Amino acid sequence: MFADILGVLQTILAEARGQGTAWLLLGLVLTRVWLRASPRESETSTRFQFVLMLLALHLLLLPATGLSTTFGAGVARDLRLTGSAAGAIAGVCLAGLLVFRLLLPRLRIAIPRIVQDIVVAVICVVAVFGTASRAGLDLSGIVATGAVLTGVIGLALQDLLGNVFGGLGLQLDHTIRVGDWIRVQEVTGRVVELRWRSTSIETRSWETVIIPNSVLTRSQVTVLGRRSGEARRWRRQLTFNVDFRFAPSQVIDSVLKAVRAQPIDNVASEPQPDCVLLELGDSSARYAVRYWLTDLAHDVPTDSVVQTRIYYALRRAEIPLSMPAHAVFLTQDSPERQQDKREADHDRRVFALSRIGLFRDLSEVERAELAAGLHYAPFARGEVLTRQGADAHHLYVICSGTVSVRAGAAHMEHEIAQLASGEFFGEMSLLTGAPRSATVVALTEVECYRLDAEAFRRLLEQRADMAEKVAGALAERRTGLLANRDKLSDGRALGDITQRDLLDKIRAFFSLS
Ligand code: CMP
């Protein structure tokens, strides 16, 4: 009895030796250790589970084969063949995992998944055939009938094969890569996975569209933003209409200044955004701003920022967007109505002035006079209102919103103050003739009125106390700039100037007594 058990065990061990079970287990342990140390990848884990199943079958069949051999059962050969084939496939898959998922990525060699799968599949077939012939099984019959079978299966699986070969072609010639943005028929999205049968695309609306590879090879596929030898950028075109009363050069200049002044997130700096006259239509001229988007996921939000810039630029230049030609105007634009409009606008400016601390003490008449020299100037968030070093032509009063005052070397500016509704800026250069001492950027949407130098000069002539007031603010702000001087690396000499000196400077500059 004991001798029988020993005999069975010896047969099982001999089977295991003959089928290379120890090597398979060693390979399994190595792959497992490496898998634990690598980032989790679902496809690799699935493949590993498949190998585990095959090895389990292989190990189960070992004692069954041993018993059948010992007791001379007729199935011993079939069991051995099945176990060896399972072991051979498991071994090839393990080797495939080690080579394609561990070794080659470390050597920075990228081989398309589909090619990896084909190589592994072919070696599996060869290994199974080798195992069978070693077991003395003649497979030539299978090969002969295989040709007929292949024909039959080929016909039945025409679609599947079309997809598989489509996928193979796409991956081999790199037509489409993971991460590309593509448009196929009605679908636009980012390629997230290229598989044997299909390609997965994630759209901007958080949908995943699975496109059969045969559709991709048969349809027109547009790869967005790709141009050979260039970084990924996608041109966007935003149109707007303006009345014929405004010269194209004036419209284009105003818009260009606004869209180029300050970088916009996801808008390429090269090529720069441009603005062109597209068409002289029936009732208005059609313009387009074209810009190059760098992150294709943010198309609509970036369009929105660019369009906001266009809108504010046109409002600052007092260029209205044109209404559609079929609009029916029921109000007659009589001289009285125009006068009413002017008065309402004037009242708005006077009201805005009354809220600005600097002008609060002015009389009604003075305020009304000053209001005539104001220009409405709204800005979108992120726009630059004045730039450090620029020539000054205006004083700004803020009606709503917040701005950041920044100073420092080019591209290294930092905030030295924030100004909000009711405050003013731009007085330093306007009063002394010096270039702008800081850059002022809109932190929110900002509504300002611009006061030109001439209107301001007239006010100072009438109100000596006003010059003193502004000189006070100016001296205080200069102190703020000075306090930040050590942080400013552009080496600008600000000098210690007193309020008195400033007042004299202002008076001299405006030729005031
Ligand atoms: P100006 O030099 O004409 O243009 C930039 C403006 O930023 C400047 O006038 C001031 O109005 C404003 N500014 C400069 N320094 C300060 C500061 N320390 N605090 C508040 N505003 C300032």
Side-chain angles (χ1 to χ4, degrees):
M1 175 70 183
F2 182 69
D4 283 350
I5 296 174
L6 207 65
V8 171
L9 280 177
Q10 274 173 347
T11 321
I12 294 172
L13 279 176
E15 284 293 337
R17 241 192 330 270
Q19 296 183 27
T21 308
W23 290 112
L24 287 175
L25 291 176
L26 180 67
L28 182 80
V29 172
L30 277 179
T31 316
R32 180 75 202 136
V33 169
W34 157 66
L35 269 183
R36 285 200 152 217
S38 317
R40 235 184 127 68
E41 209 186 296
S42 72
E43 211 196 310
T44 310
S45 307
T46 317
R47 189 71 47 99
F48 187 72
Q49 277 164 10
F50 175 64
V51 171
L52 277 183
M53 273 164 44
L54 285 172
L55 273 180
L57 177 68
H58 172 81
L59 291 175
L60 268 177
L61 288 175
L62 276 182
T65 314
L67 282 169
S68 322
T69 311
T70 312
F71 298 110
V75 289
R77 198 180 83 146
D78 294 344
L79 288 176
R80 181 176 302 114
L81 182 60
T82 315
S84 305
I89 297 173
V92 174
C93 289
L94 275 178
L97 280 175
L98 283 167
V99 172
F100 290 122
R101 308 286 159 92
L102 173 70
L103 204 62
L104 293 184
R106 299 251 157 116
L107 298 175
R108 302 196 181 284
I109 300 174
I111 295 188
R113 281 282 153 96
I114 212 159
V115 175
Q116 299 178 11
D117 291 350
I118 287 176
V119 170
V120 171
V122 168
I123 300 179
C124 278
V125 171
V126 172
V128 170
F129 272 55
T131 313
S133 80
R134 258 194 291 127
L137 195 72
D138 183 12
L139 293 178
S140 55
I142 298 177
V143 176
T145 45
V148 180
L149 254 179
T150 313
V152 175
I153 295 172
L155 275 177
L157 301 181
Q158 228 174 18
D159 258 10
L160 178 72
L161 292 176
N163 285 328
V164 170
F165 283 110
L168 190 62
L170 287 174
Q171 294 206 19
L172 286 182
D173 66 9
H174 294 294
T175 319
I176 300 172
R177 294 181 284 245
V178 170
D180 279 348
W181 280 84
I182 61 169
R183 183 167 49 227
V184 188
Q185 292 165 1
E186 304 290 289
V187 183
T188 301
R190 196 166 58 91
V191 176
V192 284
E193 203 170 12
L194 286 159
R195 296 177 173 217
W196 276 87
R197 252 181 26 78
S198 59
T199 297
S200 306
I201 292 180
E202 284 178 358
T203 70
R204 295 188 182 93
S205 325
W206 282 62
E207 299 146 340
T208 302
V209 184
I210 315 293
I211 304 182
N213 288 336
S214 58
V215 173
L216 284 181
T217 46
R218 267 188 249 124
S219 336
Q220 174 176 313
V221 179
T222 311
V223 181
L224 308 181
R226 190 199 284 173
R227 196 175 250 211
S228 56
E230 302 271 356
R232 178 158 41 193
R233 290 184 211 111
W234 189 34
R235 200 188 78 180
R236 306 279 297 166
Q237 178 160 309
L238 304 167
T239 57
F240 58 94
N241 294 347
V242 168
D243 200 284
F244 289 129
R245 279 175 299 156
F246 300 91
S249 55
Q250 189 193 355
V251 176
I252 291 173
D253 280 359
S254 314
V255 170
L256 264 192
K257 233 185 263 162
V259 291
R260 287 184 179 174
Q262 185 75 351
I264 300 173
D265 285 348
N266 304 317
V267 173
S269 50
E270 200 48 53
Q272 283 192 315
D274 64 13
C275 178
V276 291
L277 172 62
L278 277 187
E279 181 189 356
L280 294 171
D282 290 340
S283 61
S284 58
R286 210 156 101 85
Y287 295 86
V289 164
R290 294 149 349 139
Y291 75 89
W292 281 260
L293 183 68
T294 52
D295 184 348
L296 276 64
H298 293 102
D299 56 345
V300 177
T302 312
D303 283 355
S304 164
V305 177
V306 175
Q307 287 184 119
T308 311
R309 288 253 175 124
I310 299 172
Y311 170 83
Y312 280 115
L314 292 175
R315 290 220 50 189
R316 284 197 294 277
E318 295 178 9
I319 300 174
L321 287 164
S322 84
M323 293 185 207
H326 56 262
V328 179
F329 299 95
L330 292 177
T331 43
Q332 225 184 4
D333 215 7
S334 60
E336 294 77 37
R337 202 178 121 72
Q338 280 184 5
Q339 178 63 21
D340 285 351
K341 270 199 209 160
R342 267 198 299 274
E343 277 172 14
D345 185 39
H346 182 77
D347 289 349
R348 257 198 306 276
R349 291 184 221 186
V350 172
F351 176 69
L353 283 180
S354 69
R355 292 176 51 218
I356 310 293
L358 178 66
F359 304 121
R360 206 165 281 149
D361 299 339
L362 296 184
S363 70
E364 291 273 303
V365 181
E366 285 166 335
R367 222 178 270 158
E369 210 169 290
L370 191 62
L374 289 183
H375 296 278
Y376 181 59
F379 291 88
R381 188 159 66 92
E383 278 198 279
V384 171
L385 289 80
T386 65
R387 202 176 280 284
Q388 182 178 307
D391 287 339
H393 305 289
H394 305 103
L395 172 85
Y396 290 81
V397 289
I398 307 172
C399 296
S400 69
T402 310
V403 299
S404 163
V405 181
R406 299 170 191 209
H411 309 302
M412 290 175 62
E413 296 165 345
H414 65 265
E415 184 171 273
I416 53 171
Q418 284 193 6
L419 302 172
S421 162
E423 296 184 279
F424 62 92
F425 64 88
E427 77 294 342
M428 289 189 178
S429 317
L430 202 68
L431 294 174
T432 59
R436 293 285 191 204
S437 62
T439 296
V440 180
V441 184
L443 291 179
T444 60
E445 301 223 325
V446 172
E447 280 187 300
C448 286
Y449 276 107
R450 271 196 304 228
L451 182 64
D452 57 44
E454 187 44 39
F456 198 45
R457 198 186 69 81
R458 279 200 304 275
L459 177 71
L460 295 186
E461 267 176 359
Q462 289 166 15
R463 295 283 301 251
D465 59 320
M466 191 59 67
E468 266 174 55
K469 236 186 198 181
V470 181
L474 206 155
E476 203 176 295
R477 287 177 175 182
R478 255 189 123 82
T479 316
L481 273 176
L482 275 170
N484 282 279
R485 184 163 57 175
D486 51 333
K487 292 187 217 152
L488 309 180
S489 47
D490 63 346
R492 271 177 306 128
L494 292 164
D496 293 332
I497 305 176
T498 62
Q499 184 174 344
R500 190 78 249 150
D501 296 337
L502 281 170
L503 196 54
D504 292 343
K505 227 172 163 193
I506 293 169
R507 289 201 172 117
F509 185 65
F510 283 99
S511 319
L512 304 173
S513 54

